Amino acid sequence: MAERPAALLSVGFLLLLLTREGMTNTGPISIPIRLTVENDLFNMAPESFSSSVAEGGVLLGALRRLQEAQPDFKFTVKDHPDFGVFLQSVNGVAGDEHKQTYWEILSENSGEYTRLDVGIGCYAPKADEHIILRFSTWSSRKQE
Ligand code: B12
């Protein structure tokens, strides 16, 4: 008699597993992000875009998807053997060692800006996150 609840429990567990499997078979969940390109150094007006990436996917994926969909957004990258992908240029504007310029990557939330502590190939954006690509300079002192 005590076997029946146990059997029902097993069937329930199996159904739960099958449902979960079914959900993953529909493909990864896509999360939306916002992206703003800022270049005050060239007095350019900020440009805003929307993109998306698979949940748990990296910012590079969202940038690639945007580049495929949007003719007004282009970027290039440079590979580093240790740190992965360095964002080299955005919309034809490239960072320059001599001029000490580069594309800084930030996340904005309620007017607060946080500099990402990893590159675009490692950073996994959150749903509706606002990412800023800001053309910036670095001082002669080495910084992060
Ligand atoms: C100086 C420095 C910079 C300078 C490099 C320019 C220069 N000529 O000085 C500048 C300001 C451009 C920079 C930018 C960034 N950096 Co930096 N940087 C450093 C630092 C402090 C020293 C690098 C160095 O001079 N090494 C000595 C030389 C001889 O070795 P190298 O291999 O030739 O160095 C090159 C690489 O380090 C490369 N580089 C620098 N930063 C980054 C970041 C990424 C993602 C990549 C792929 C390459 C890269 O530029 C150096 C010069 O060409 C390191 C700390 C460390 N432990 O290495 C962080 C470090 C490499 N940077 C880091 C980060 C996160 C960034 C940014 C993403 C920050 C941001 N949110 O904008 C950006 C890159 C944005 C982009 N466009 O992709 C992280 C990388 C971690 C990771 N796993 O991704 C590190 C490890 C710091 C940390 N958080 O611990 N950085």
Side-chain angles (χ1 to χ4, degrees):
M1 271 299 164
E3 283 155 22
R4 188 168 269 182
L8 280 173
L9 215 66
S10 312
V11 171
F13 186 64
L14 195 69
L15 278 172
L16 190 74
L17 277 180
L18 286 172
T19 319
R20 280 176 67 93
E21 187 63 27
M23 277 162 72
T24 53
N25 277 345
T26 60
I29 297 167
S30 176
I31 60 160
I33 68 155
R34 274 195 306 138
L35 187 87
T36 301
V37 177
E38 294 182 1
N39 187 350
D40 284 352
L41 297 180
F42 286 12
N43 281 325
M44 289 165 83
E47 286 181 282
S48 290
F49 303 94
S50 298
S51 187
S52 64
V53 67
E55 196 176 34
V58 292
L59 181 55
L60 177 63
L63 298 185
R64 283 186 177 144
R65 189 158 287 138
L66 180 59
Q67 179 164 252
E68 277 162 23
Q70 173 65 259
D72 293 345
F73 181 81
K74 301 191 287 294
F75 74 101
T76 62
V77 297
K78 202 168 73 176
D79 278 332
H80 185 273
D82 295 306
F83 302 117
V85 183
F86 187 84
L87 181 62
Q88 184 62 28
S89 78
V90 178
N91 292 341
V93 179
D96 185 320
E97 277 281 326
H98 300 290
K99 293 178 185 153
Q100 300 192 330
T101 53
Y102 76 109
W103 284 96
E104 187 178 20
I105 307 152
L106 307 116
S107 173
E108 184 270 339
N109 189 8
S110 307
E112 241 181 66
Y113 294 82
T114 313
R115 199 169 181 262
L116 302 191
D117 61 0
V118 290
I120 55 170
C122 298
Y123 187 72
K126 291 173 269 311
D128 298 316
E129 187 164 352
H130 183 199
I131 297 289
I132 316 281
L133 307 181
R134 180 183 287 162
F135 199 53
S136 306
T137 55
W138 76 85
S139 68
S140 49
R141 196 169 65 87
K142 291 272 177 187
Q143 53 171 294
E144 271 180 38

